[in-house]
Structures are given as C-alpha cells and as structure tokens.
Amino acid sequence: MAAFTSHSFPRTTLVKSSPTPTHSSSSYRVKMSSSSGQALPPLPENRVVLGCGAVSVDFLAAVASYPKPDDKIRSTSAKVQGGGNAGNALTCAARLGLHPRLISKVADDSQGKGLLDELEADGVDSSFIVVSKGGNSPFTYIIVDDETKTRTCIHTPGYPPMIPDDLTNSKLLASLDGAKLVYFDGRLHETALVVAQEATRRGIPILIDAERKREGLDDLLSLSSYVICSKKFPQAWTDASSVPSALVSMLLKLPNIKFVIVTLGEDGCVMLERCVSENVQSEEVDIDDLLEILKQKKDTNTTIPICISSSVAKLCAKGIGTVSGRLLLGTAEKIPPSELVDTTGAGDAFIGAAVYAICANMPTEKMLPFAAQVAAIGCRALGARTGLPHRSNPQLMPFLQ
C-alpha cells in the first residue's frame, strides 16, 4: 500500500489497499504457494465470517515526538486510510483467506465511499453496511510518536448513529447465512445484540473484542464463546486483584466461554482455556503462581512468538473460585527498534488472525504465536492496515504448517 506523503490531509482521499485475489478465483480453491516455494496448507472449509462494529477514516500523522501545548510541528510522514476495530480485524481476516462480511454504517459522503471501496478491494463484503443520506462518516485523528512508539487517537463518531431498524430482517438473515463465526468489537451495541441473539439461535459461535467497558457489552459477553480483551479490561470488569484471577472470574461469570485471552502488547498475551474433561487432577493450583512458573520457562533468546502451556488442572483464584482448564502464555515477536513503526491496530490484527485460527480449527497453542506474528508484521508500517500480511507472506509459513 502506497503511503500518503502530503503534510496536509485532503478531506476525500483514502489510501486504498492493493486488491487481493477474488475469493472465488481458482487460486483460492487450490493450495497457494508462498514466495519461498513452499505449499501452503489448505484454507478452512468454511471461510465465511460476519463482523459487526466500527469502521472509520484514519488520518495518521507521525511526528518526531509528541507536541507540547501550543507547539507547531511538522509530521515526518502521513497517511489517510480506513480504520475502525471491526474494519481492521476483518481486513486482516480477508488477507489471510477468509470471506468476511461487515455490518456497520457510514454516510453517503466521499469518505464513506472511500471506506466501502477500500474494504471491497481487500475482499471484505460491504453489502451489509448501511449508507445514510447526509450526516458524516466516522473518522479518527491518530498521532504516532516516533520517539516513544506510541499513538494517540481522537475519534469522531459517525452521524446519524446506527440503530437496529437500519438492519432489515432480510439483511440480518442473509448476513448470517453460512457463517462459521460472528465477531463483535463492542460498538453499535443495540444492533450488535440483535445480530448476536439471532446468531445464538442458529448456534453460530461468537467472539467478542472486549477493549473496555461499554454500554451493552455485558449482554454480548453473556452470548459469547470466545473473548479477547485489552490489558486493562479483565480487572476493570471483575475487580479482581490480578489478571490471572480476573480470567478465572470471567470464566465463572460467563459459563459459555471456551477461552478468554488478554493481550499485553510487547509482553505477549495470556489465555485461560476452559476444559470440560473429567480427568483433571484433584489438587488445586493457584493461577497466579502458575503464571509465574510459565514465565520462568520463557526462552529470552527466542525472538519469534512462542506459546508455553500448563497441563489441564483445577485453577484457583483466591477469593473467587476454581475452574478446570489450561493457562497459556504467548510471547510477542521481539521487533528491532529500527523496524517498529506504528502499533495502531495491532490488537485488531491479533483478533483477525484469531478469527482465521478458529475457522481453521487451529490448536490454541498454535493460534497464539500465529496471531502474535500477524500483529507484529503489521507494526512495521504506518497505519492499522498498511502492513497487514497476506496468507502467502513467508513469515507466516512456519505458523501455518
């Protein structure tokens, strides 16, 4: 994807991704080959996934260091492209070979048209996105600090907001037809709940991106099969004293959850996977102590993502309770400072890769390193979508085999 290099942001221009092969083309029906010549494994049998959530226009400006009040500075680089959690995650899933559909809302302005064009170019079905007459499409100003490698986001919601009546019953049913998985980013909560309830009636599993506490999120969580959280969410939602204890609390409060993952940036991620097997050792294991044991097993010399897993056990959180399951510690790639450009959308990339892994029935101990690698590749370019890898990327080959 070519970078937008002007220091002023045109109102109507979006940087479009290079079109990916049409999903119905023969190149997706047979084993594709990476540039290294190795044959890729077959794609998942059912590649249709549905997402419901945010899309926006991202106005990105990289600066040498974050400005002080009243400063006037110049950007070192700039870009205008599509963003939003759901839009980013499904773009990632599409580049990995899935057939994503997206429920969202934009206005009939030039920015909304650009968003739709960019999604379609990447293989995301935008036919379920509502286009309002008048109003404005959502947009976000993003300041990327080259010095600290952080990003600051200022979001302006779209208007008019999406309501359940925007999605006709026929569109709702069509969007879910044949879907393997439904993903929600926690936005558009009233519409999302209608979609989630219908998905539940059809027995379609649900994945929730729990970035932070939001209106209506609890209703979605109660219907979900999988949850991927930001670093602060588990403790904020449960009031537990530690992240591992919070994960136990979440599985106890949400009995339908198969696993919950908390992403920790450069520190990787932690997953608690429920186990319903009756062949679990009788002795309880303190989950905080167990995480420390897993951390001690990390090979500090390894730069690529790996996963360290406990055996199935009765995992206890003091003052909370006990669940039967496995605790898994995933590491992140150690990106050389000279290669790290922008962490915008890294969590969305991780989720997009997890969506692929679930559709591919990938074991969880393989899913965590795969998702971490996809996210790390994306951090090497400005913007949430610029660096998202395609399935044929040679760096993904070891994780897909």
Side-chain angles (χ1 to χ4, degrees):
M1 182 185 296
F4 180 79
T5 55
S6 170
H7 290 290
S8 62
F9 292 112
R11 176 175 171 77
T12 61
T13 304
L14 284 179
V15 176
K16 292 189 174 67
S17 308
S18 300
T20 55
T22 303
H23 291 301
S24 59
S25 68
S26 59
S27 63
Y28 275 82
R29 296 196 201 102
V30 298
K31 287 185 179 181
M32 295 177 62
S33 296
S34 72
S35 59
S36 63
Q38 292 179 285
L40 287 167
L43 282 159
E45 185 175 341
N46 185 350
R47 287 174 271 160
V48 177
V49 294
L50 174 65
C52 177
V55 292
S56 71
V57 179
D58 284 353
F59 296 92
L60 295 121
V63 296
S65 61
Y66 195 83
K68 298 176 181 178
D70 255 359
D71 270 359
K72 292 184 178 180
I73 61 174
R74 290 178 179 266
S75 62
T76 57
S77 61
K79 183 181 289 291
V80 184
Q81 68 174 189
N85 292 39
N88 296 337
L90 294 187
T91 296
C92 177
R95 293 192 188 183
L96 294 174
L98 298 187
H99 295 174
R101 303 165 180 165
L102 177 58
I103 294 173
S104 192
K105 187 172 185 176
V106 298
D108 60 352
D109 52 14
S110 57
Q111 293 178 357
K113 184 181 184 303
L115 286 169
L116 299 179
D117 289 345
E118 187 178 12
L119 289 168
E120 288 287 347
D122 260 312
V124 179
D125 183 350
S126 67
S127 62
F128 300 98
I129 296 179
V130 176
V131 180
S132 68
K133 293 183 179 181
N136 66 273
S137 297
F139 62 93
T140 304
Y141 296 118
I142 302 175
I143 302 174
V144 179
D145 187 335
D146 290 338
E147 183 179 29
T148 61
K149 303 300 182 182
T150 58
R151 83 283 185 276
T152 302
C153 302
I154 306 169
H155 179 67
T156 299
Y159 184 84
M162 189 167 193
I163 58 176
D165 286 347
D166 286 334
L167 186 66
T168 65
N169 189 61
S170 60
K171 281 274 192 180
L172 169 63
L173 299 180
S175 70
L176 288 163
D177 187 36
K180 171 79 172 182
L181 180 74
V182 184
Y183 150 72
F184 300 94
D185 67 5
R187 272 87 165 184
L188 314 179
H189 66 277
E190 293 178 331
T191 303
L193 183 58
V194 172
V195 178
Q197 289 170 337
E198 183 60 31
T200 301
R201 281 192 285 270
R202 294 182 176 215
I204 304 172
I206 291 171
L207 184 150
I208 302 294
D209 171 10
E211 187 177 38
R212 62 176 180 266
K213 295 170 74 172
R214 300 181 188 276
E215 186 178 359
L217 182 60
D218 286 5
D219 292 331
L220 292 175
L221 287 171
S222 68
L223 299 174
S224 61
S225 304
Y226 314 99
V227 182
I228 300 180
C229 309
S230 65
K231 182 177 182 178
K232 296 180 180 179
F233 179 83
Q235 288 177 267
W237 194 72
T238 63
D239 292 324
S241 60
S242 68
V243 168
S245 295
L247 299 185
V248 170
S249 179
M250 289 184 70
L251 259 61
L252 291 173
K253 292 174 183 289
L254 303 168
N256 296 324
I257 294 293
K258 296 179 180 178
F259 68 64
V260 57
I261 301 170
V262 54
T263 56
L264 305 170
E266 64 181 9
D267 293 324
C269 63
V270 176
M271 168 194 274
L272 180 54
E273 181 181 37
R274 191 191 304 274
C275 179
V276 296
S277 171
E278 296 181 0
N279 299 320
V280 181
Q281 64 186 55
S282 58
E283 184 178 354
E284 293 184 353
V285 178
D286 182 89
I287 193 166
D288 288 292
D289 293 342
L290 181 58
L291 180 58
E292 293 305 312
I293 293 172
L294 296 182
K295 287 180 178 179
Q296 292 172 13
K297 294 182 178 181
K298 287 197 301 185
D299 182 353
T300 56
N301 295 319
T302 301
T303 58
I304 63 171
I306 61 169
C307 179
I308 304 164
S309 171
S310 75
S311 57
V312 177
K314 290 183 179 179
L315 303 175
C316 174
K318 293 182 178 70
I320 294 174
T322 301
V323 295
S324 295
R326 289 195 303 161
L327 188 66
L328 298 93
L329 173 65
T331 67
E333 182 188 356
K334 294 180 181 178
I335 305 175
S338 60
E339 296 180 19
L340 179 60
V341 176
D342 180 17
T343 60
T344 301
D348 303 332
F350 185 99
I351 289 173
V355 168
Y356 173 89
I358 292 170
C359 290
N361 299 315
M362 191 180 288
T364 50
E365 57 268 29
K366 291 187 66 177
M367 176 177 69
L368 298 186
F370 170 67
Q373 184 64 63
V374 170
I377 294 171
C379 291
R380 288 172 160 87
L382 182 64
R385 301 184 190 176
T386 310
L388 288 176
H390 290 80
R391 188 168 180 269
S392 56
N393 188 305
Q395 290 178 272
L396 297 182
M397 180 63 67
F399 301 91
L400 288 169
Q401 293 294 340

